[in-house]
Amino acid sequence: MPTLFDPVKAGDLDLANRIVMAPLTRNRSPDAIPKPMTATYYEQRATAGLLITEATAVSHQGQGYSDVPGLYGTEQLDGWKKVTDAVHAKGGKIVVQLWHVGRISHVDLQPDGGKPVAPSAITAKAKTVLIKDGQATFVETSEPRALDASELPGIVHTFAAAARNAVETAGFDGVEIHAANGYLLDQFLKRDSNVRTDDYGGSIENRARFTLEVTRAVTDAIGGGKTGIRLSPVTPANDAHDEHPQALFEYVVQQLAPLHLAYIHVIEGATGGPRELDDRPFDYEALKAAYRTAGGKGAWMVNNGYDKPMAETAVKEGDDLIAFGRPFIANPDLVRRIRENAPWNEVDKATMYGGGEHGYIDYPTLD
Ligand code: 8OZ
């Protein structure tokens, strides 16, 4: 019977334990460039079996919040190389989360002040963060324009190019495709944000097409064994909703099965919120079974509100990796604290998004 502290293989990734640092947006990278303190932040947490970086924009168009990092230019890639070097020097493994926000953006953040892009021209009932004079403010997302089908291959290419740069230039061990939380790929998947009438809208097969094209292009670029994907079947985050998530996501994981991915990362319930939603029931065991039955061999990673007993049970019952989010912000040595049954520091909400070293690299360890 495996425990949280046993090594595990996720595709090409040899992980020292089954505790994963979930992706966490921190808004501390002006001009999309990770700073030296970002290397310190990840290095401090390198005892996790796997670190997943904060969501990182694959293009300027894919950015939706102030001061989030990118992967699309030399300075951004150089900044990330310092991060991966620091993590590797501590024996850690790190993948970067590839992000295109789609409609969850604001004209002030877009190239030439243009409209954010989306499957359909439907404004999300959601907010984004603009930082002005060091002050974070929440603003309504802007009205998007519907992408023309002729633009989609360019976005697919952007994901593949970002993946190649991430591995070959920035030194990452792999990438995680962000297909969750109401961002571009999730907008295509879910019916409420996708009313297209072409090959990318309508049926489940059509709505899944774009996510699958992106994933295949990324695996062609860097190999399936270095590629993970994050899904959130029922989260209401960023106004995401689909009437039939079970059928939709079972189809998606069945199609992912032959790609030999490193892992499938599933957010159970509402991101950062309740694990069960009365109006959005979902059977995660059936989702995993659909993937395995279709021949999927990737590690199965679960996330959302896990504590030690829940994580131990999940690993005993066949989940391979458990991702912890906010606890990793507040506890750089979370792995040790779990092992030794030590108490966890509380996260300071005021310093989660934006700011400097405080609330970022000054959380205490047990020593
Ligand atoms: C919190 C704030 C901004 C972005 C996600 C990338 O939910 C995010 C995010 C979370 O996946």
Side-chain angles (χ1 to χ4, degrees):
M1 202 68 92
T3 78
L4 279 170
F5 303 99
D6 290 328
V8 65
K9 220 170 148 56
D12 295 351
L13 310 172
D14 284 305
L15 309 181
N17 60 61
R18 291 151 194 258
I19 297 170
V20 174
M21 178 175 167
L24 294 153
T25 290
R26 304 304 310 271
N27 306 78
R28 282 165 165 88
S29 301
D31 301 316
I33 304 166
K35 292 186 183 175
M37 68 173 176
T38 301
T40 306
Y41 167 71
Y42 286 107
E43 175 187 26
Q44 288 173 338
R45 289 155 179 79
T47 52
L50 180 66
L51 302 172
I52 306 170
T53 72
E54 62 213 90
T56 299
V58 295
S59 62
H60 186 174
Q61 183 195 70
Q63 187 191 338
Y65 302 79
S66 282
D67 297 351
V68 294
L71 258 180
Y72 43 81
T74 311
E75 291 170 293
Q76 287 82 16
L77 293 168
D78 287 350
W80 278 123
K81 182 71 168 72
K82 296 189 177 74
V83 174
T84 62
D85 283 347
V87 169
H88 291 149
K90 287 269 149 83
K93 293 271 159 64
I94 183 165
V95 298
V96 60
Q97 196 191 44
L98 303 183
W99 195 25
H100 191 308
V101 295
R103 66 180 181 164
I104 307 300
S105 189
H106 189 274
V107 289
D108 283 5
L109 297 165
Q110 286 292 302
D112 306 317
K115 288 184 173 187
V117 299
S120 302
I122 304 168
T123 306
K125 290 182 204 68
K127 292 207 158 75
T128 179
V129 180
L130 294 181
I131 297 180
K132 285 195 173 140
D133 305 321
Q135 212 42 52
T137 50
F138 286 90
V139 294
E140 302 283 341
T141 53
S142 303
E143 177 187 303
R145 68 173 179 84
L147 282 160
D148 192 83
S150 66
E151 296 176 273
L152 299 181
I155 297 179
V156 171
H157 176 80
T158 304
F159 271 92
R164 198 176 289 115
N165 283 333
V167 170
E168 290 176 7
T169 307
F172 283 104
D173 298 295
V175 306
E176 173 175 293
I177 296 166
H178 196 345
N181 293 348
Y183 297 112
L184 183 66
L185 302 183
D186 203 25
Q187 288 158 31
F188 270 88
L189 289 171
K190 290 178 181 160
R191 187 64 176 73
D192 288 24
S193 44
N194 181 352
V195 297
R196 298 176 74 95
T197 54
D198 62 5
D199 288 348
Y200 293 88
S203 65
I204 283 176
E205 289 79 358
N206 280 359
R207 282 182 279 123
R209 190 179 312 279
F210 188 52
T211 298
L212 295 171
E213 285 179 357
V214 165
T215 309
R216 286 188 198 109
V218 168
T219 62
D220 284 348
I222 63 166
K226 292 186 170 57
T227 306
I229 188 168
R230 194 175 210 210
L231 306 170
S232 57
V234 296
T235 191
N238 293 316
D239 202 16
H241 184 253
D242 190 89
E243 203 65 62
H244 303 290
Q246 196 76 41
L248 169 61
F249 283 90
E250 287 186 14
Y251 174 79
V252 169
V253 297
Q254 281 161 354
Q255 297 301 306
L256 294 174
L259 301 184
H260 304 291
L261 298 183
Y263 66 83
I264 309 283
H265 182 179
V266 181
I267 300 170
E268 298 164 334
T271 314
R275 294 177 45 81
E276 305 279 351
L277 301 166
D278 290 345
D279 58 332
R280 300 181 184 207
F282 196 86
D283 184 344
Y284 297 97
E285 283 305 313
L287 184 70
K288 181 163 61 175
Y291 179 63
R292 295 287 181 230
T293 303
K297 303 243 183 331
W300 195 260
M301 185 189 299
V302 293
N303 168 243
N304 208 15
Y306 278 82
D307 59 15
K308 177 172 178 170
M310 287 164 66
E312 284 175 327
T313 304
V315 164
K316 272 198 200 103
E317 291 178 354
D319 294 330
D320 303 298
L321 295 164
I322 317 295
F324 295 83
R326 276 170 285 183
F328 254 115
I329 292 181
N331 299 277
D333 55 351
L334 185 66
V335 173
R336 180 176 167 199
R337 287 171 190 258
I338 294 174
R339 193 197 298 270
E340 298 181 6
N341 291 314
W344 297 3
N345 301 318
E346 286 290 320
V347 70
D348 170 24
K349 293 218 164 112
T351 50
M352 273 188 359
Y353 306 117
E357 297 189 352
H358 176 51
Y360 193 48
I361 56 172
D362 61 355
Y363 278 103
T365 58
L366 285 174
D367 294 323

